Amino acid sequence: MDPTSDPYTKAFWQALRRDTCHIVGSVLGRARRQLHFWILALLIGIAAGCAALGFRLGISWIQTTIYGADDLTLASVARDLPWLWVLVVPVMGGLAVGLILDRFTPDGRVRTVSDVIEGAALDGGRVEVREGLASATASLITLGTGGSSGREGPVVHLAGVVSTAVARRIKASPVTGRELLGCAVAGAVAASFNAPIAGALFAHEVVLRHFATRAFAPIAIAAVAGTVINRLQFGGLTEFILPVEPDLAFHIELPAFMVLGLVSALVAAAMMSGIFRADRLATRAMSAIGWPRWSRPALAGLALGMIAIPFPHIIGVGYETTAAALSGQISLAQAIMFAVVKALAVAITLGGRMGGGVFSPALVMGSLTGLAFGIIATTLAPGYSGSVNV
Protein backbone atom coordinates (compact mmCIF):
# COMPACT_ATOMS: atom_id res chain seq x y z
CA MET A 1 0.00 0.00 0.00
CA ASP A 2 1.34 3.44 -0.95
CA PRO A 3 1.92 5.49 2.26
CA THR A 4 0.96 8.66 0.49
CA SER A 5 -2.47 7.21 -0.12
CA ASP A 6 -3.19 7.64 3.57
CA PRO A 7 -5.08 10.95 3.97
CA TYR A 8 -3.17 11.94 7.11
CA THR A 9 0.23 11.23 5.54
CA LYS A 10 -0.78 13.03 2.38
CA ALA A 11 -1.87 16.07 4.39
CA PHE A 12 1.43 15.99 6.27
CA TRP A 13 3.51 16.07 3.09
CA GLN A 14 1.38 18.81 1.58
CA ALA A 15 1.81 20.93 4.70
CA LEU A 16 5.55 20.26 4.72
CA ARG A 17 5.89 21.31 1.09
CA ARG A 18 3.79 24.39 1.71
CA ASP A 19 5.79 25.43 4.77
CA THR A 20 9.10 24.73 3.01
CA CYS A 21 8.10 26.86 0.03
CA HIS A 22 6.96 29.60 2.38
CA ILE A 23 10.25 29.57 4.32
CA VAL A 24 12.38 29.48 1.17
CA GLY A 25 10.31 32.26 -0.39
CA SER A 26 10.58 34.35 2.76
CA VAL A 27 14.36 33.88 2.92
CA LEU A 28 14.78 34.70 -0.76
CA GLY A 29 12.51 37.73 -0.36
CA ARG A 30 14.56 39.06 2.55
CA ALA A 31 17.77 38.41 0.65
CA ARG A 32 16.40 40.24 -2.38
CA ARG A 33 15.29 43.21 -0.27
CA GLN A 34 18.66 43.24 1.46
CA LEU A 35 20.46 43.21 -1.86
CA HIS A 36 18.28 46.04 -3.13
CA PHE A 37 19.04 48.07 -0.01
CA TRP A 38 22.77 47.45 -0.35
CA ILE A 39 22.64 48.66 -3.94
CA LEU A 40 20.74 51.74 -2.75
CA ALA A 41 23.37 52.29 -0.04
CA LEU A 42 26.08 52.10 -2.70
CA LEU A 43 24.32 54.69 -4.86
CA ILE A 44 23.73 56.99 -1.88
CA GLY A 45 27.39 56.66 -0.85
CA ILE A 46 28.45 57.64 -4.36
CA ALA A 47 26.04 60.59 -4.43
CA ALA A 48 27.13 61.80 -0.98
CA GLY A 49 30.79 61.38 -1.92
CA CYS A 50 30.25 63.42 -5.08
CA ALA A 51 28.48 66.11 -3.02
CA ALA A 52 31.39 66.24 -0.57
CA LEU A 53 33.92 66.34 -3.39
CA GLY A 54 32.00 69.04 -5.22
CA PHE A 55 31.78 71.12 -2.05
CA ARG A 56 35.52 70.85 -1.50
CA LEU A 57 36.38 71.69 -5.10
CA GLY A 58 33.92 74.59 -4.99
CA ILE A 59 35.70 76.10 -2.00
CA SER A 60 39.07 75.73 -3.74
CA TRP A 61 37.72 77.32 -6.92
CA ILE A 62 36.33 80.35 -5.09
CA GLN A 63 39.51 80.79 -3.05
CA THR A 64 41.71 80.49 -6.11
CA THR A 65 39.55 82.93 -8.05
CA ILE A 66 39.47 85.54 -5.29
CA TYR A 67 42.76 85.08 -3.44
CA GLY A 68 44.90 83.32 -6.04
CA ALA A 69 45.46 80.21 -3.89
CA ASP A 70 43.48 77.43 -2.23
CA ASP A 71 43.52 76.51 1.44
CA LEU A 72 46.84 74.65 1.28
CA THR A 73 48.79 77.88 0.61
CA LEU A 74 46.17 80.55 1.24
CA ALA A 75 47.67 82.01 4.42
CA SER A 76 51.07 82.54 2.80
CA VAL A 77 49.60 84.11 -0.34
CA ALA A 78 47.21 86.37 1.59
CA ARG A 79 50.14 88.06 3.35
CA ASP A 80 51.17 89.65 0.06
CA LEU A 81 47.69 90.77 -1.01
CA PRO A 82 46.55 94.41 -0.64
CA TRP A 83 45.12 94.94 2.84
CA LEU A 84 41.94 96.50 1.42
CA TRP A 85 41.24 93.34 -0.59
CA VAL A 86 41.71 91.15 2.48
CA LEU A 87 39.32 93.42 4.38
CA VAL A 88 36.57 93.76 1.76
CA VAL A 89 36.26 90.16 0.51
CA PRO A 90 34.87 88.70 3.79
CA VAL A 91 32.40 91.58 4.00
CA MET A 92 31.06 90.88 0.51
CA GLY A 93 30.93 87.17 1.27
CA GLY A 94 29.05 87.83 4.50
CA LEU A 95 26.58 90.05 2.69
CA ALA A 96 25.86 87.32 0.14
CA VAL A 97 25.46 84.76 2.93
CA GLY A 98 23.08 87.01 4.84
CA LEU A 99 20.85 87.57 1.85
CA ILE A 100 20.72 83.84 1.02
CA LEU A 101 19.87 82.77 4.56
CA ASP A 102 17.34 85.56 4.99
CA ARG A 103 15.56 84.48 1.81
CA PHE A 104 15.62 80.71 2.14
CA THR A 105 15.60 79.96 5.90
CA PRO A 106 13.00 81.00 8.47
CA ASP A 107 15.53 81.72 11.21
CA GLY A 108 18.53 83.02 9.23
CA ARG A 109 20.97 80.32 10.34
CA VAL A 110 22.81 77.53 8.58
CA ARG A 111 22.01 73.85 9.14
CA THR A 112 24.85 71.66 10.41
CA VAL A 113 25.53 68.32 12.12
CA SER A 114 23.22 69.02 15.06
CA ASP A 115 20.28 69.28 12.68
CA VAL A 116 21.23 65.94 11.12
CA ILE A 117 21.32 64.32 14.57
CA GLU A 118 17.92 65.83 15.33
CA GLY A 119 16.56 64.53 12.04
CA ALA A 120 17.80 61.03 12.82
CA ALA A 121 16.31 61.06 16.31
CA LEU A 122 12.98 62.82 15.75
CA ASP A 123 12.11 63.02 12.05
CA GLY A 124 12.65 59.53 10.72
CA GLY A 125 16.01 60.34 9.16
CA ARG A 126 14.74 63.39 7.27
CA VAL A 127 16.34 66.84 7.23
CA GLU A 128 15.24 70.14 5.73
CA VAL A 129 15.97 70.13 2.01
CA ARG A 130 15.39 73.75 0.99
CA GLU A 131 17.11 75.14 4.06
CA GLY A 132 19.89 72.55 3.70
CA LEU A 133 20.70 73.58 0.13
CA ALA A 134 20.71 77.24 1.15
CA SER A 135 22.98 76.41 4.09
CA ALA A 136 25.42 74.53 1.87
CA THR A 137 25.56 77.48 -0.53
CA ALA A 138 26.07 79.92 2.35
CA SER A 139 28.85 77.79 3.86
CA LEU A 140 30.50 77.45 0.46
CA ILE A 141 30.59 81.23 0.10
CA THR A 142 31.74 81.67 3.70
CA LEU A 143 34.72 79.34 3.36
CA GLY A 144 35.62 80.64 -0.07
CA THR A 145 35.60 84.33 0.91
CA GLY A 146 37.49 84.33 4.19
CA GLY A 147 35.25 82.80 6.83
CA SER A 148 37.05 80.88 9.57
CA SER A 149 35.16 77.61 9.97
CA GLY A 150 35.13 74.05 8.62
CA ARG A 151 33.65 72.24 5.65
CA GLU A 152 32.67 68.95 7.30
CA GLY A 153 29.53 70.21 9.09
CA PRO A 154 27.90 71.55 5.91
CA VAL A 155 28.94 68.42 4.02
CA VAL A 156 27.24 66.17 6.58
CA HIS A 157 23.98 68.10 6.27
CA LEU A 158 24.28 68.14 2.49
CA ALA A 159 24.56 64.35 2.62
CA GLY A 160 21.41 64.36 4.74
CA VAL A 161 19.65 66.30 1.99
CA VAL A 162 20.63 63.56 -0.48
CA SER A 163 19.29 60.77 1.72
CA THR A 164 16.11 62.73 2.50
CA ALA A 165 15.37 63.14 -1.19
CA VAL A 166 15.78 59.38 -1.70
CA ALA A 167 13.73 58.51 1.40
CA ARG A 168 10.87 60.70 0.22
CA ARG A 169 11.07 59.24 -3.26
CA ILE A 170 10.75 55.64 -2.08
CA LYS A 171 8.42 56.54 0.85
CA ALA A 172 10.84 54.96 3.32
CA SER A 173 9.79 54.09 6.85
CA PRO A 174 11.44 55.96 9.74
CA VAL A 175 13.82 53.05 10.39
CA THR A 176 14.85 52.84 6.74
CA GLY A 177 15.10 56.62 6.53
CA ARG A 178 17.55 56.70 9.43
CA GLU A 179 19.65 53.96 7.84
CA LEU A 180 19.72 55.85 4.55
CA LEU A 181 20.80 58.95 6.45
CA GLY A 182 23.61 56.97 8.09
CA CYS A 183 24.76 55.72 4.69
CA ALA A 184 24.82 59.24 3.25
CA VAL A 185 26.72 60.65 6.22
CA ALA A 186 29.25 57.80 6.10
CA GLY A 187 29.86 58.37 2.39
CA ALA A 188 30.27 62.12 2.81
CA VAL A 189 32.64 61.95 5.79
CA ALA A 190 34.69 59.19 4.15
CA ALA A 191 34.99 61.27 0.98
CA SER A 192 35.99 64.36 2.98
CA PHE A 193 38.84 62.65 4.82
CA ASN A 194 39.70 59.74 2.52
CA ALA A 195 38.89 57.53 5.51
CA PRO A 196 36.16 54.85 5.19
CA ILE A 197 36.46 53.59 8.77
CA ALA A 198 36.13 57.11 10.16
CA GLY A 199 33.07 57.72 7.99
CA ALA A 200 31.36 54.53 9.13
CA LEU A 201 32.13 55.12 12.81
CA PHE A 202 30.91 58.72 12.60
CA ALA A 203 27.61 57.59 11.11
CA HIS A 204 27.10 54.91 13.77
CA GLU A 205 28.28 56.81 16.85
CA VAL A 206 27.22 60.40 16.15
CA VAL A 207 24.21 60.20 13.84
CA LEU A 208 22.51 56.85 14.46
CA ARG A 209 23.99 56.28 17.94
CA HIS A 210 23.96 52.50 17.61
CA PHE A 211 25.85 49.65 15.92
CA ALA A 212 22.87 47.56 14.79
CA THR A 213 23.81 44.64 12.54
CA ARG A 214 21.09 45.65 10.07
CA ALA A 215 22.77 49.00 9.40
CA PHE A 216 26.40 47.92 9.59
CA ALA A 217 26.83 46.45 6.09
CA PRO A 218 25.08 49.22 4.09
CA ILE A 219 26.91 51.95 6.00
CA ALA A 220 30.23 50.22 5.36
CA ILE A 221 29.37 49.95 1.65
CA ALA A 222 28.48 53.66 1.49
CA ALA A 223 31.69 54.65 3.31
CA VAL A 224 33.84 52.67 0.88
CA ALA A 225 31.96 54.21 -2.05
CA GLY A 226 32.61 57.73 -0.71
CA THR A 227 36.29 56.94 -0.27
CA VAL A 228 36.55 55.69 -3.85
CA ILE A 229 35.05 58.98 -5.07
CA ASN A 230 37.73 60.89 -3.17
CA ARG A 231 40.54 58.70 -4.45
CA LEU A 232 39.39 59.01 -8.04
CA GLN A 233 40.10 62.74 -7.70
CA PHE A 234 43.02 62.88 -5.26
CA GLY A 235 44.45 59.37 -5.27
CA GLY A 236 45.70 57.94 -1.97
CA LEU A 237 46.99 61.31 -0.80
CA THR A 238 46.55 62.01 2.91
CA GLU A 239 45.57 65.44 4.21
CA PHE A 240 48.66 65.87 6.39
CA ILE A 241 52.12 64.39 5.91
CA LEU A 242 54.61 64.34 8.77
CA PRO A 243 58.20 64.94 7.63
CA VAL A 244 59.71 62.63 10.27
CA GLU A 245 58.88 59.27 11.78
CA PRO A 246 58.82 59.51 15.58
CA ASP A 247 60.20 56.85 17.89
CA LEU A 248 58.05 57.36 20.97
CA ALA A 249 59.14 56.18 24.41
CA PHE A 250 55.54 55.33 25.13
CA HIS A 251 55.85 54.10 28.72
CA ILE A 252 57.76 57.25 29.69
CA GLU A 253 55.60 59.71 27.77
CA LEU A 254 52.22 58.26 28.72
CA PRO A 255 51.66 60.69 31.65
CA ALA A 256 52.38 63.60 29.29
CA PHE A 257 49.81 62.27 26.82
CA MET A 258 47.23 62.14 29.61
CA VAL A 259 47.96 65.74 30.57
CA LEU A 260 47.82 66.77 26.92
CA GLY A 261 44.37 65.17 26.63
CA LEU A 262 43.14 67.25 29.57
CA VAL A 263 44.66 70.43 28.17
CA SER A 264 43.11 69.76 24.75
CA ALA A 265 39.71 69.19 26.37
CA LEU A 266 39.98 72.53 28.17
CA VAL A 267 40.93 74.27 24.91
CA ALA A 268 37.99 72.66 23.11
CA ALA A 269 35.59 73.63 25.89
CA ALA A 270 36.88 77.20 25.81
CA MET A 271 36.45 77.39 22.04
CA MET A 272 32.88 76.06 22.16
CA SER A 273 32.02 78.38 25.03
CA GLY A 274 33.38 81.28 23.00
CA ILE A 275 31.16 80.31 20.04
CA PHE A 276 28.03 80.22 22.21
CA ARG A 277 28.90 83.50 23.91
CA ALA A 278 29.59 85.17 20.57
CA ASP A 279 26.23 84.02 19.23
CA ARG A 280 24.36 85.38 22.25
CA LEU A 281 26.30 88.64 22.19
CA ALA A 282 25.71 89.12 18.46
CA THR A 283 21.99 88.40 18.89
CA ARG A 284 21.66 91.02 21.62
CA ALA A 285 23.69 93.52 19.61
CA MET A 286 21.56 93.06 16.49
CA SER A 287 18.40 93.51 18.55
CA ALA A 288 19.81 96.67 20.11
CA ILE A 289 20.81 98.37 16.87
CA GLY A 290 17.73 97.18 15.00
CA TRP A 291 19.51 96.31 11.76
CA PRO A 292 18.06 93.60 9.48
CA ARG A 293 19.28 90.08 10.15
CA TRP A 294 20.88 89.77 6.71
CA SER A 295 23.47 92.36 7.79
CA ARG A 296 24.75 90.17 10.62
CA PRO A 297 27.08 87.99 8.50
CA ALA A 298 28.40 91.11 6.73
CA LEU A 299 29.34 92.68 10.09
CA ALA A 300 31.03 89.43 11.07
CA GLY A 301 32.89 89.50 7.75
CA LEU A 302 34.10 93.01 8.53
CA ALA A 303 35.50 91.86 11.87
CA LEU A 304 37.16 88.87 10.20
CA GLY A 305 38.71 91.05 7.52
CA MET A 306 40.22 93.33 10.15
CA ILE A 307 41.72 90.32 11.93
CA ALA A 308 42.93 88.70 8.69
CA ILE A 309 45.09 91.69 7.76
CA PRO A 310 47.68 90.93 10.49
CA PHE A 311 46.72 87.24 10.86
CA PRO A 312 45.91 85.75 7.44
CA HIS A 313 46.06 82.22 8.84
CA ILE A 314 42.44 82.57 10.01
CA ILE A 315 41.15 82.66 6.41
CA GLY A 316 39.40 79.50 5.27
CA VAL A 317 39.59 76.00 6.67
CA GLY A 318 43.16 76.37 7.95
CA TYR A 319 44.89 73.30 6.59
CA GLU A 320 48.12 75.21 5.89
CA THR A 321 48.39 76.23 9.54
CA THR A 322 47.58 72.70 10.69
CA ALA A 323 50.26 71.21 8.42
CA ALA A 324 52.82 73.77 9.62
CA ALA A 325 52.04 72.99 13.26
CA LEU A 326 52.24 69.22 12.74
CA SER A 327 55.63 69.57 11.08
CA GLY A 328 56.96 71.88 13.81
CA GLN A 329 57.41 74.95 11.60
CA ILE A 330 55.80 77.30 14.14
CA SER A 331 57.42 78.65 17.29
CA LEU A 332 55.91 78.45 20.76
CA ALA A 333 54.85 82.11 20.81
CA GLN A 334 53.32 81.83 17.35
CA ALA A 335 51.45 78.65 18.27
CA ILE A 336 49.85 80.27 21.31
CA MET A 337 49.05 83.49 19.48
CA PHE A 338 47.66 81.71 16.42
CA ALA A 339 45.45 79.50 18.62
CA VAL A 340 43.97 82.48 20.46
CA VAL A 341 43.32 84.43 17.25
CA LYS A 342 41.89 81.37 15.48
CA ALA A 343 39.48 80.70 18.33
CA LEU A 344 38.35 84.34 18.19
CA ALA A 345 37.87 84.15 14.42
CA VAL A 346 35.84 80.94 14.66
CA ALA A 347 33.61 82.49 17.32
CA ILE A 348 33.04 85.56 15.12
CA THR A 349 32.30 83.44 12.04
CA LEU A 350 29.77 81.16 13.70
CA GLY A 351 28.39 83.78 16.06
CA GLY A 352 27.87 86.01 13.04
CA ARG A 353 25.82 83.25 11.35
CA MET A 354 28.18 83.01 8.37
CA GLY A 355 28.18 79.24 8.04
CA GLY A 356 30.54 76.31 8.26
CA GLY A 357 31.37 73.71 10.89
CA VAL A 358 33.75 73.33 13.82
CA PHE A 359 35.60 70.11 13.01
CA SER A 360 38.36 71.64 10.88
CA PRO A 361 38.89 74.53 13.34
CA ALA A 362 39.20 71.87 16.04
CA LEU A 363 41.99 70.25 14.01
CA VAL A 364 43.77 73.61 13.78
CA MET A 365 43.37 74.24 17.50
CA GLY A 366 44.45 70.70 18.34
CA SER A 367 47.61 70.88 16.24
CA LEU A 368 48.59 74.26 17.71
CA THR A 369 47.83 73.09 21.25
CA GLY A 370 49.80 69.90 20.76
CA LEU A 371 52.78 71.78 19.34
CA ALA A 372 52.82 74.31 22.18
CA PHE A 373 52.44 71.57 24.78
CA GLY A 374 55.20 69.50 23.17
CA ILE A 375 57.64 72.39 23.09
CA ILE A 376 56.98 73.22 26.74
CA ALA A 377 57.09 69.59 27.89
CA THR A 378 60.32 68.73 26.10
CA THR A 379 61.92 71.94 27.39
CA LEU A 380 60.99 71.17 31.00
CA ALA A 381 61.83 67.45 30.83
CA PRO A 382 64.06 66.74 27.81
CA GLY A 383 65.26 63.44 29.26
CA TYR A 384 61.77 61.95 29.29
CA SER A 385 60.86 62.52 25.67
CA GLY A 386 61.17 59.99 22.88
CA SER A 387 63.79 60.42 20.21
CA VAL A 388 63.06 61.29 16.59
CA ASN A 389 64.80 59.49 13.74
CA VAL A 390 65.13 61.84 10.77
Side-chain angles (χ1 to χ4, degrees):
M1 179 178 176
D2 186 1
T4 59
S5 63
D6 181 65
Y8 296 104
T9 304
K10 186 176 182 179
F12 169 77
W13 286 110
Q14 288 176 345
L16 180 62
R17 285 195 298 270
R18 184 175 62 252
D19 292 342
T20 302
C21 292
H22 176 74
I23 293 172
V24 172
S26 177
V27 171
L28 291 177
R30 284 198 300 268
R32 185 168 55 252
R33 289 192 296 271
Q34 188 77 286
L35 179 60
H36 290 168
F37 190 78
W38 288 359
I39 294 174
L40 187 59
L42 174 64
L43 297 177
I44 286 181
I46 293 174
C50 290
L53 179 62
F55 192 84
R56 176 175 181 173
L57 295 177
I59 294 172
S60 297
W61 179 81
I62 296 175
Q63 289 176 339
T64 303
T65 301
I66 294 177
Y67 292 105
D70 63 6
D71 201 76
L72 297 177
T73 57
L74 182 56
S76 300
V77 173
R79 294 190 184 97
D80 301 324
L81 294 175
W83 67 269
L84 185 60
W85 187 254
V86 176
L87 175 66
V88 170
V89 169
V91 178
M92 301 305 295
L95 180 60
V97 167
L99 293 174
I100 291 172
L101 295 178
D102 184 68
R103 173 66 178 82
F104 294 103
T105 63
D107 50 7
R109 68 172 185 87
V110 297
R111 272 51 177 169
T112 55
V113 177
S114 60
D115 298 281
V116 176
I117 297 173
E118 180 180 349
L122 303 178
D123 298 325
R126 273 74 164 176
V127 300
E128 299 167 297
V129 174
R130 182 171 181 262
E131 292 82 354
L133 294 175
S135 298
T137 304
S139 298
L140 180 67
I141 296 173
T142 294
L143 292 168
T145 58
S148 190
S149 55
R151 69 170 185 249
E152 286 72 32
V155 162
V156 168
H157 196 279
L158 188 58
V161 171
V162 173
S163 69
T164 298
V166 174
R168 290 178 178 175
R169 178 75 176 178
I170 66 175
K171 295 180 174 58
S173 66
V175 173
T176 303
R178 282 189 286 269
E179 292 175 357
L180 293 175
L181 179 62
C183 293
V185 169
V189 174
S192 294
F193 293 102
N194 194 14
I197 297 177
L201 290 178
F202 184 89
H204 281 291
E205 292 185 344
V206 178
V207 177
L208 298 183
R209 295 175 298 167
H210 65 69
F211 284 87
T213 306
R214 170 189 170 93
F216 190 84
I219 286 178
I221 292 171
V224 172
T227 305
V228 171
I229 295 299
N230 177 285
R231 296 195 178 189
L232 289 175
Q233 176 67 29
F234 299 106
L237 182 66
T238 57
E239 294 290 351
F240 306 108
I241 301 176
L242 298 178
V244 297
E245 194 151 330
D247 180 18
L248 299 178
F250 184 77
H251 61 288
I252 297 176
E253 297 180 344
L254 184 59
F257 294 151
M258 297 173 64
V259 176
L260 175 59
L262 294 175
V263 172
S264 299
L266 292 175
V267 171
M271 185 177 75
M272 295 304 299
S273 176
I275 293 172
F276 295 141
R277 289 176 182 271
D279 186 80
R280 291 193 295 267
L281 178 61
T283 300
R284 288 197 297 267
M286 293 300 296
S287 299
I289 63 178
W291 287 11
R293 68 180 186 182
W294 53 261
S295 64
R296 180 170 174 172
L299 295 174
L302 177 62
L304 289 174
M306 295 173 64
I307 297 174
I309 294 173
F311 299 103
H313 76 282
I314 70 163
I315 299 175
V317 179
Y319 280 169
E320 182 182 4
T321 303
T322 303
L326 291 176
S327 57
Q329 300 176 14
I330 300 176
S331 66
L332 174 61
Q334 288 177 320
I336 296 175
M337 180 175 59
F338 283 3
V340 172
V341 176
K342 180 66 176 180
L344 176 62
V346 173
I348 292 173
T349 302
L350 300 181
R353 306 281 176 87
M354 291 188 72
V358 296
F359 193 87
S360 293
L363 291 180
V364 178
M365 295 296 294
S367 63
L368 293 171
T369 301
L371 175 63
F373 181 88
I375 294 174
I376 295 173
T378 53
T379 300
L380 295 177
Y384 291 94
S385 62
S387 60
V388 175
N389 299 323
V390 183

